[in-house]
Amino acid sequence: MTQSENTPTALTEGDAVLRACVRRTLSIEADGLAALANSVDGPLGHAIEEATRLIETARGRVIVTGMGKSGHIGRKLAATLASTGTPALFLHAAEAGHGDLGMVTPDDVVLALSWSGETAELGDVVHYARRFAVPLLAMTSNAESTLGRAADVVLIMPRVEEACPNGLAPTTSTLIQLALGDALAVALLERRGFSASDFRVFHPGGKLGARLLKVADLMHQGEAMPLVRLGTQMAEALIEITGKRFGCCGVVDGDGRLVGIITDGDLRRHMGTDLLPRPVEDVMTASPFVVQPGELASAALGRMNRRPVPVTVLFAVVDGAPVGILHIHDILRAGVV
């Protein structure tokens, strides 16, 4: 690399203006988030408590609706709720009056997003909710708006400065809608005691699903496990090792508890003309490294790699008895890294 490549390039006037614009935008939006956080100590906090109670006791789903940028935020909010244990779907406000109101049942809760509270397209949804006594939550900055007055609970967002220099493009306002929606979803998640295991049920695919896989999801069980009993001759143990293709063999006592393991390394250390007739307890490594079937596969992989001598295969045990065997290739094939 040349000296010129190591030397920072002087900012042009245009670059300096650009960076100032970015910093101003982030500063304005950060102020908006701070104002939202401070609002939780006032009426907004009480409204969130009421909203969570309504959603928790509902027998149906949360129907999130909105238009324009608020609609985009609503779509994301519905997806977040659904993935964290609160059944939800997004209802496009403009499509609602053309048949999509059929998605809404009396068991549901409607959550309508509108910064101004005067979004005309929400009229059909609001009228339907009032007509059929469907609980209506409003996320708006104007409690006295049409939407605010119609709602059972109003999540009042603070009036904030838009980052747009013209004060027109929804920027800070959509950010705090997004943040308030996330806060509501996380509050519901925690109140429901939603766990990582629950999360995996809704995220079985992709890297997230792989990270939440447990040893029990990947291990080989039953006859697939290479096992012999104490007292077995090494000749028979070698047949078990070869036939099961894990490169090892577990040794169990009379009660079925795992007391040792025979690996390729053990075989090399004891190689000799007297190997085949010897009992397995003469060759095995006692007290082998094991895991629990409920342990995350990613944690098991980390422990395998942190061993003084890294291992590539291990047994899963319950009360000392082997219930499965896991190879490092099983973990890597599942995408756990």
Side-chain angles (χ1 to χ4, degrees), residues 124-142:
D124 289 333
V125 181
V126 172
H127 175 71
Y128 186 89
R130 299 300 73 188
R131 179 184 176 188
F132 294 102
V134 179
L136 176 62
L137 312 179
M139 190 183 291
T140 179
S141 66
N142 186 0

Side-chain angles (χ1 to χ4, degrees), residues 232-239 262 267 275-280 283:
T232 302
Q233 289 187 333
M234 281 302 302
E236 185 177 340
L238 284 171
I239 294 174
I262 301 171
L267 293 176
L275 175 64
L276 295 182
R278 293 174 66 181
V280 290
V283 178

Side-chain angles (χ1 to χ4, degrees), residues 237-303:
L238 284 171
I239 294 174
E240 184 75 359
I241 293 171
T242 304
K244 299 298 174 63
R245 300 179 181 277
F246 285 99
C248 71
C249 181
V251 180
V252 296
D253 63 15
D255 295 322
R257 291 189 296 267
L258 187 72
V259 295
I261 188 171
I262 301 171
T263 66
D264 288 341
D266 295 316
L267 293 176
R268 287 193 296 271
R269 284 188 290 273
H270 294 86
M271 186 62 67
T273 55
D274 65 337
L275 175 64
L276 295 182
R278 293 174 66 181
V280 290
E281 50 264 42
D282 287 354
V283 178
M284 72 181 191
T285 296
S287 303
F289 169 56
V290 297
V291 293
Q292 299 297 313
E295 186 173 337
L296 288 175
S298 56
L301 177 61
R303 292 176 59 197

Side-chain angles (χ1 to χ4, degrees), residues 95-254:
E95 298 290 344
H98 297 274
D100 283 1
L101 283 170
M103 298 179 183
V104 186
T105 76
D107 293 332
D108 297 330
V109 174
V110 173
L111 172 56
L113 282 66
S114 171
W115 182 254
S116 68
E118 299 294 347
T119 305
E121 291 87 350
L122 286 173
D124 289 333
V125 181
V126 172
H127 175 71
Y128 186 89
R130 299 300 73 188
R131 179 184 176 188
F132 294 102
V134 179
L136 176 62
L137 312 179
M139 190 183 291
T140 179
S141 66
N142 186 0
E144 297 304 316
S145 62
T146 302
L147 175 61
R149 291 195 304 272
D152 297 299
V153 179
V154 186
L155 301 169
I156 309 170
M157 295 173 291
R159 297 294 185 95
V160 293
E161 178 186 359
E162 298 287 13
C164 168
N166 299 315
L168 298 174
T171 45
T172 312
S173 57
T174 50
L175 176 65
I176 67 172
Q177 280 181 315
L178 178 66
L180 181 55
D182 284 344
L184 181 63
V186 172
L188 287 161
L189 177 155
E190 292 191 357
R191 287 171 70 101
R192 294 181 191 278
F194 197 77
S195 67
S197 297
D198 297 320
F199 201 76
R200 183 178 171 267
V201 172
F202 302 126
H203 299 77
K207 290 185 177 180
L208 181 58
R211 283 167 46 196
L212 296 175
L213 285 171
K214 295 182 179 179
V215 169
D217 298 319
L218 301 175
M219 68 186 188
H220 305 266
Q221 304 176 62
E223 291 299 318
M225 291 187 291
L227 295 171
V228 295
R229 291 190 175 275
L230 286 171
T232 302
Q233 289 187 333
M234 281 302 302
E236 185 177 340
L238 284 171
I239 294 174
E240 184 75 359
I241 293 171
T242 304
K244 299 298 174 63
R245 300 179 181 277
F246 285 99
C248 71
C249 181
V251 180
V252 296
D253 63 15

